[in-house]
Amino acid sequence: MSEPRTPPPTAAGAQPDGGNRLPRAVLRTNNYELLDGEWFFAIDDADCGLREGWHLGHRYEHKAQWPGSIEDHMAAAKGHMASAWQDEVVAWYEREFTLPARPDGQDNHLYQLTFGACGYETRVWLNGHQLRTIEGEDVHYGEYTSFSYELHEAHLRPVNRLTVRIADTMDAETPRGKQESHVYKRGGIWYQTQTGAVRSVWLELVERNRLRSRVGVDSTIEDQLVRFNLSTRIQDPGQYTLRLQVFERATDQPMATSDFPLKLEAGQRQQRVVMELPGAQLWSPESPTLYRLVGQLIDANGHAAQIETLFGLRKIESRGRYVYLNNQPIYLDGILYQPGTATFEEMQRHMHAMQALGCNLVRVHIAGVDPRIYNLADELGLLLWVEVPSPHSSTHRSRENHRAELLRMLALIESHPSVVIWSLYNEDWGAQDIATNPETRRYIVDMYHYMLIEHPQFLVVDNDGWQHISQEGRLKSDLLTAHLYTPDLTRWQELLDRLVAGELEGTAAFPLVVGDPFFYRRQKPLIVSEWGGFGFPDYGGPQDAAARTAAIVAFKQELRRRPIAGDVYTQATNIEDERNGLIDPHTGELSVPTGLLNSRSSGSGETTPER
């Protein structure tokens, strides 16, 4: 069993490249114990574990390393290289842990168990007692974000038995991203499932009355105001003070402090507060200035429960034909990134490599990633375009699951200045009837409006690639995006000319707009959000790396000669059957010259936004 860990470094000295060992963006000044490592493991082929009470005691046949996917654990247990399941899978994990000693002066603390990500359907028992998440779930659904349990003293022992049941199916109504389902089978652009115990699990002592590990940030740069969204978790109702302090990274003297008195009932509550930060520098790719926020919830006895995080001030805007960052026009040199089964360390290498390619934007394609990757993007100054992992069918239930996944992701990553764009859907996956079903369009429009009101710090794309929704002539997307694929330069020039002329049909695979008529008239920024895909001859591409480099340069020059606001090259790394990456998925080495995708200073006759 692992030994109790020392507290993580304060945010002022945190290293996104590895200093924070926990997959979360917000830090606590407390002790924690990782429960990663060897667990007992069994596949429940007959799904009889619940009926037979495996959580009360069971003899497990195998062992598995947590974190790790069920697929890898099945393969190791059966002694061969690959293992797949075709309909549903149920896995059980169990281990014991010794309860860490409670330090002196922490009688007002309780033990909290957090899963960095686990799914799709997770049940947890402590010494045979089923746990309920802080949100009140007996069963947690989802596999991309963290969830926590408070452990009741009555159920704790000196040595404790932790049992976890994880179930997943090929259900097309659940958010799956590009993992196969009953609708889209593995092969081509669809990948093997990777489910289960995919991130770390840890035990920590937290205050009974505290701030939860989630902070939202929305800055209004013109009046130097910053809005913070924080969540309180209260066991003991009463009067509290929320104290926020903002520090420059290298100093211990706060540049701003504010107290907010709150009368709090038991349970969880979200609270928005506003602070003024005169003289604060803005965050941008050229100058990724970050500040340190220390939040304290102080009770009537003066005890302070504390969290820390880094944040930046920035404004993103869709205005006319162009995207503006901090009221300055910016061209988005982007790349499509599909992390797949990459480890945290490999994803770090990928991020550095994408920046070395000259990208200022990374489109994280319908996947959830370790939260520390968002921290790294904040540090590097890389803009991120994130997306909800899509379901594969369009039903009322799939939309409910989609909304729940979106809200979970927003709660955990709304603090990052690097995250500037959200896609609700991609290429109609999970919204295949977008052109014919008013209910589908109504849901997407409602979520677009929700994002505009509740999260104005982001640009929102309704359905990336084609079939954007127009309602009464108003596009329900901040960007008009198109996926254009062709290896022929002449055809590429023709497609781009038709796109900028406002031809909404015949450019992408489907019409660019559905619903009511929409007259482009250059009122929305055009983004070619997927193009290229230039592999080698066995993938229908150029003969060698030099030929691929030349093609990318030529295609990129055509983009910059037109009033287009940005582009996203496909793609960063090879993944399964898609062999069109520019970066080695393991080492992070480039197969093309550095700076290849940087068109912002190329001087190649590109258009510039009017000031």
Side-chain angles (χ1 to χ4, degrees), residues 364-556:
V364 183
H365 193 33
I366 55 174
V369 297
D370 188 306
R372 290 170 292 184
I373 292 301
Y374 304 115
N375 286 357
L376 179 57
D378 292 344
E379 293 274 352
L380 294 177
L382 273 174
L383 302 169
L384 295 183
W385 179 339
V386 300
E387 304 174 321
V388 186
S390 59
H392 291 177
S393 65
S394 182
T395 66
H396 177 73
R397 179 170 172 263
S398 79
R399 290 187 282 276
E400 287 185 333
N401 289 335
H402 178 276
R403 182 179 184 276
E405 201 67 69
L406 169 63
L407 296 181
R408 284 191 290 264
M409 293 178 69
L410 280 166
L412 293 176
I413 63 174
E414 64 173 337
S415 64
H416 298 280
S418 57
V419 178
V420 293
I421 304 172
W422 279 79
S423 284
L424 300 177
Y425 285 91
N426 174 76
E427 292 186 357
D428 314 341
W429 300 340
Q432 293 91 335
D433 55 358
I434 190 173
T436 59
N437 188 345
E439 290 187 10
T440 300
R441 292 201 297 274
R442 187 179 305 114
Y443 166 73
I444 296 174
V445 169
D446 286 348
M447 295 314 297
Y448 172 71
H449 289 160
Y450 167 82
M451 294 289 285
L452 289 185
I453 295 170
E454 295 295 329
H455 300 280
Q457 70 269 38
F458 305 125
L459 300 181
V460 181
V461 178
D462 56 347
N463 176 51
D464 186 55
W466 51 68
Q467 302 209 117
H468 301 279
I469 299 172
S470 173
Q471 191 177 71
E472 298 177 350
R474 298 179 181 180
L475 199 68
K476 298 304 177 178
S477 178
D478 293 325
L479 306 172
L480 183 58
T481 65
H483 295 177
L484 307 181
Y485 285 106
T486 176
D488 180 78
L489 184 59
T490 301
R491 173 64 173 162
W492 178 243
Q493 294 166 329
E494 176 193 346
L495 288 174
L496 294 181
D497 285 339
R498 294 173 64 184
L499 181 67
V500 300
E503 294 187 29
L504 303 181
E505 297 190 23
T507 49
F510 291 89
L512 284 187
V513 175
V514 297
D516 296 331
F518 174 74
F519 302 95
Y520 168 54
R521 307 292 168 87
R522 302 189 175 188
Q523 60 181 297
K524 292 280 184 175
L526 284 175
I527 305 284
V528 181
S529 52
E530 287 187 29
W531 69 276
F534 300 144
F536 290 114
D538 58 352
Y539 197 70
Q543 294 295 313
D544 52 32
R548 178 159 55 165
T549 298
I552 291 172
V553 169
F555 276 58
K556 193 80 168 174

Side-chain angles (χ1 to χ4, degrees), residues 141-263:
Y141 296 97
E143 60 180 281
Y144 305 102
T145 56
S146 63
F147 53 99
S148 298
Y149 302 89
E150 294 171 346
L151 306 186
H152 298 293
E153 295 288 342
H155 299 156
L156 288 166
R157 307 284 184 268
V159 177
N160 297 272
R161 178 168 50 87
L162 188 62
T163 310
V164 181
R165 178 189 183 271
I166 304 170
D168 205 349
T169 71
M170 293 287 180
D171 183 359
E173 293 180 310
T174 61
R176 310 193 61 78
K178 292 182 73 171
Q179 298 180 75
E180 67 173 316
S181 69
H182 290 309
V183 172
Y184 301 122
K185 305 309 293 182
R186 183 184 180 189
I189 66 170
W190 303 103
Y191 311 143
Q192 178 182 325
T193 60
Q194 294 290 327
T195 190
V198 293
R199 287 189 207 141
S200 292
V201 56
W202 63 92
L203 182 71
E204 61 186 325
L205 271 170
V206 297
E207 292 88 347
R208 287 170 50 83
N209 308 296
R210 63 193 182 279
L211 295 170
R212 295 209 61 195
S213 298
R214 49 189 66 176
V215 179
V217 180
D218 173 19
S219 54
T220 305
I221 64 174
E222 287 82 2
D223 53 15
Q224 299 179 318
L225 293 178
V226 185
R227 292 162 174 82
F228 295 104
N229 298 321
L230 298 105
S231 295
T232 58
R233 174 62 175 169
I234 300 299
Q235 308 287 337
D236 308 305
Q239 193 70 35
Y240 292 84
T241 298
L242 172 61
R243 176 170 297 163
L244 299 185
Q245 293 181 299
V246 175
F247 299 82
E248 293 183 351
R249 291 289 299 278
T251 67
D252 293 325
Q253 185 67 32
M255 58 186 291
T257 300
S258 287
D259 284 1
F260 305 89
L262 297 173
K263 185 177 182 180

